[in-house]
Amino acid sequence: MLGVYIHIPFCASKCFYCDFYSCIEKTNEQEYIDAVINEIISEADLLSTRGVDSIYIGGGTPSVINKENITKLLDVLRLFCADDTEITIEVNPESVTYDKLKAYLDAGVNRISIGLQSANDSTLKKIGRLASLKDFENAYNIAVEVGFKNISCDVIIGLPDETIDMFENTVNYLLRLEHITHISAYSLEVHENTKLDFLVNNNFVSLPTETTEREMKYLLDRKLEMAGFNRYEISNYAKDGYNSKHNLKYWNQQEYLGFGAAASSFVNSVRYTNVSDINKYVENINSGVSNKQDIEEMDKLDLIKEYIILKLRLRQGVNLLEFKTRFKQDMYELYKDAIDKLIKQGLIAKDEENIHLTYKGEDLANIVWQEFI
């Protein structure tokens, strides 16, 4: 079955590290939502034939738009959904209200992802977050009160001027929240032309060293494992039964449709991305013009390379039988020299069933990827 991603590009403000397509103005919110609904309807044949078992509403900040528009989107998509479809929405703490979360739950949302990033207010200010820790606590408490049973939280490793003790404070804070079922912990990336790029390059803030960042990651792994969280992907941890179904579609190279400006899709071995401009996106939808760009028709070798890199992100790695069933080739025979080299370097391990990254390999994953590109 297909996954569905819906991009809501509106934000109350732009975080200093963010390079996702987003905008502050919401003057054309209704036009945009109507255009997304029309795009979904244009794919009705494919959606009804295949069915949908995961929906992810991301951004941007989906929780800044009118709650009725989230309901409208899901009313359309529900026509194609399986009974056990996982439906996730991202929210930022400062935009959460009881009425919004109750409307999401009533509309079918059964998983919520709340952006924390850090439990230290001084750090949150340095990265341009509007929310304070108190705002996060309020959002979390509302989610529990409304009745969400699957609550995910995002944190970032290696934030400006953070020490190991400060990061440990964030981890300890999360572990006190008994209703958190999933944690995504990504290493900070400084993208060109972001405000963080300006701040770092002009010495207004400093970033932790690679050694410090690695120690933060080790600390996180150790504490979450002791607390019953399984690290099922390089940057994602979940309690039993709460792995993200939608994100697993990406890492298992399964198919999905993206709707909205800048949304990406992967169907029938073709990848493409919608135009990254709200006004152009709406104009194209209303005119019957395709929004698809950066279209990449992937051949078998492209798919094999990408499959290996995506699967190696998962703790279990590449299952050799699944690889052979899918591609009609033996992975070890195809990449024997690269695999033997990486095993010797201690970056991957191989047994009768799987090839997977070692702990050292996770730290140096880019070196591993290069061997399969």
Side-chain angles (χ1 to χ4, degrees):
M1 302 183 85
L2 294 169
V4 166
Y5 174 78
I6 299 177
H7 190 66
I8 306 296
F10 305 108
C11 280
S13 70
K14 187 88 168 177
C15 298
F16 296 168
Y17 54 82
C18 181
D19 75 331
F20 291 119
Y21 176 64
S22 62
C23 56
I24 308 304
E25 295 293 329
K26 290 201 304 169
T27 53
N28 53 355
E29 175 187 327
Q30 201 58 55
E31 284 183 307
Y32 180 76
I33 295 300
D34 291 342
V36 173
I37 289 173
N38 285 332
E39 186 185 12
I40 293 170
I41 292 171
S42 74
E43 295 286 2
D45 287 346
L46 180 59
L47 289 166
S48 59
T49 301
R50 298 285 300 278
V52 173
D53 63 356
S54 75
I55 299 171
Y56 195 101
I57 305 173
T61 310
S63 51
V64 302
I65 69 171
N66 294 326
K67 62 183 184 296
E68 292 81 8
N69 280 326
I70 298 298
T71 299
K72 285 177 66 176
L73 289 167
L74 292 177
D75 281 347
V76 176
L77 283 169
R78 193 178 295 113
L79 300 172
F80 313 107
C81 287
D83 291 339
D84 62 345
T85 298
E86 176 192 88
I87 305 177
T88 305
I89 189 168
E90 290 180 349
V91 301
N92 272 357
E94 74 280 357
S95 57
V96 166
T97 66
Y98 183 94
D99 287 346
K100 281 184 180 179
L101 297 200
K102 182 66 165 61
Y104 300 161
L105 194 68
D106 290 345
V109 176
N110 49 33
R111 183 174 183 271
I112 190 165
S113 178
I114 310 175
L116 172 62
Q117 316 314 352
S118 172
N120 302 296
D121 281 337
S122 60
T123 302
L124 293 174
K125 290 180 180 178
K126 289 178 182 179
I127 58 175
R129 296 286 288 176
L130 290 181
S132 64
L133 181 60
K134 186 176 180 180
D135 293 324
F136 175 85
E137 289 178 353
N138 180 61
Y140 167 78
N141 288 331
I142 290 174
V144 173
E145 183 184 356
V146 165
F148 279 99
K149 305 298 184 186
N150 192 351
I151 302 175
S152 181
C153 177
D154 290 349
V155 296
I156 298 178
I157 302 170
L159 288 168
D161 299 324
E162 278 216 327
T163 63
I164 292 176
D165 287 344
M166 292 172 73
F167 182 71
E168 186 171 12
N169 177 60
T170 296
V171 178
N172 289 340
Y173 172 76
L174 282 175
L175 293 179
R176 291 195 292 270
L177 304 177
E178 61 177 315
H179 297 285
I180 296 290
T181 55
H182 185 282
I183 295 172
S184 297
Y186 299 105
S187 293
L188 179 69
E189 294 183 15
V190 181
H191 298 280
E192 289 185 7
N193 302 319
T194 60
K195 190 164 184 178
L196 181 61
D197 183 40
F198 171 82
L199 294 174
V200 170
N201 287 331
N202 290 280
N203 300 313
F204 288 106
V205 296
S206 60
L207 301 181
T209 64
E210 287 186 11
T211 300
T212 299
E213 187 175 327
R214 189 170 292 117
E215 289 178 10
M216 290 175 174
K217 182 72 162 57
Y218 291 162
L219 181 149
L220 180 71
D221 285 347
R222 185 175 69 254
K223 291 208 163 197
L224 291 190
E225 182 178 0
M226 291 175 61
F229 283 85
N230 170 49
R231 181 167 58 83
Y232 66 100
E233 191 268 347
I234 287 179
S235 300
N236 284 269
Y237 308 75
K239 291 182 179 178
D240 287 346
Y242 289 98
N243 292 1
S244 169
K245 181 186 289 188
H246 187 82
N247 286 341
L248 281 168
K249 281 195 176 293
Y250 300 145
W251 300 317
N252 285 316
Q253 203 185 49
Q254 295 172 350
E255 294 180 315
Y256 54 90
L257 285 173
F259 298 105
S264 295
S265 300
F266 172 60
V267 180
N268 297 325
S269 300
V270 177
R271 290 197 179 279
Y272 61 88
T273 303
N274 282 345
V275 61
S276 297
D277 181 289
I278 290 177
N279 294 327
K280 187 66 176 175
Y281 169 82
V282 171
E283 179 186 330
N284 286 345
I285 292 290
N286 293 339
S287 303
V289 176
S290 174
N291 274 300
K292 298 177 183 179
Q293 60 180 18
D294 302 326
I295 299 172
E296 179 187 5
E297 297 184 7
M298 303 177 72
D299 61 23
K300 183 179 179 180
L301 185 57
D302 292 331
L303 292 169
I304 285 175
K305 291 176 180 179
E306 183 187 77
Y307 180 85
I308 292 172
I309 291 171
L310 290 172
K311 292 288 281 189
L312 284 175
R313 292 189 61 89
L314 296 172
R315 196 75 180 273
Q316 68 190 38
V318 182
N319 181 278
L320 296 173
L321 179 58
E322 286 181 8
F323 183 95
K324 192 166 188 176
T325 301
R326 182 165 183 158
F327 296 109
K328 313 303 180 193
Q329 288 186 267
D330 186 290
M331 178 181 168
Y332 184 64
E333 290 180 1
L334 197 60
Y335 288 102
K336 183 179 185 305
D337 291 343
I339 291 169
D340 288 344
K341 175 184 174 182
L342 292 168
I343 291 174
K344 188 174 182 179
Q345 293 174 334
L347 299 179
I348 64 172
K350 177 181 177 296
D351 56 37
E352 290 184 1
E353 295 183 353
N354 300 294
I355 293 175
H356 61 88
L357 295 177
T358 62
Y359 211 85
K360 178 183 176 182
E362 290 175 0
D363 277 343
L364 303 172
N366 285 337
I367 295 175
V368 177
W369 307 156
Q370 286 298 321
E371 293 294 330
F372 297 105
I373 292 178

